[in-house]
Amino acid sequence: MKTLREVPIGQTATVVKLHGEGALKRRIMDMGIPKGVAVYVRKVAPLGDPLEVTVRGYELSVRKGDAASIEVE
C-alpha cells in the first residue's frame, strides 16, 4: 500500500482508496480528493508537513497525517 505521503515531489498519483473514519474521510472528500482523482505533489514544507498538492487545477495543502490515510497508485 502506497500513500500520498510517500509520493515524491514532482510525481502524479491516482487516489485508490480513502482510509479513516467519519469526519476524517468526509473532510478529505470535501477538499476535492475522492477516489479516482489525480493528485500532483508540488512541494513539501521544510520539516515535511504539510504537503502542497495540485488537485483538479487548484493548489491544496494537506497534513502528513491526512496524506497517510490516502492510498494511491
Side-chain angles (χ1 to χ4, degrees), residues 3-23:
T3 64
L4 183 59
R5 184 176 176 180
E6 300 164 358
V7 176
I9 297 170
Q11 299 264 333
T12 301
T14 303
V15 177
V16 176
K17 185 175 182 181
L18 298 175
H19 297 277
E21 298 193 16

Side-chain angles (χ1 to χ4, degrees), residues 15-62:
V15 177
V16 176
K17 185 175 182 181
L18 298 175
H19 297 277
E21 298 193 16
L24 172 64
K25 190 173 182 178
R26 185 75 201 158
R27 184 165 32 97
I28 292 170
M29 289 178 66
D30 287 344
M31 288 190 290
I33 308 178
K35 180 180 172 183
V37 74
V39 179
Y40 174 75
V41 179
R42 292 182 40 121
K43 57 186 170 182
V44 178
L47 297 176
D49 194 22
L51 306 164
E52 185 175 310
V53 298
T54 301
V55 181
R56 298 180 178 187
Y58 65 92
E59 284 77 34
L60 179 68
S61 292
V62 180

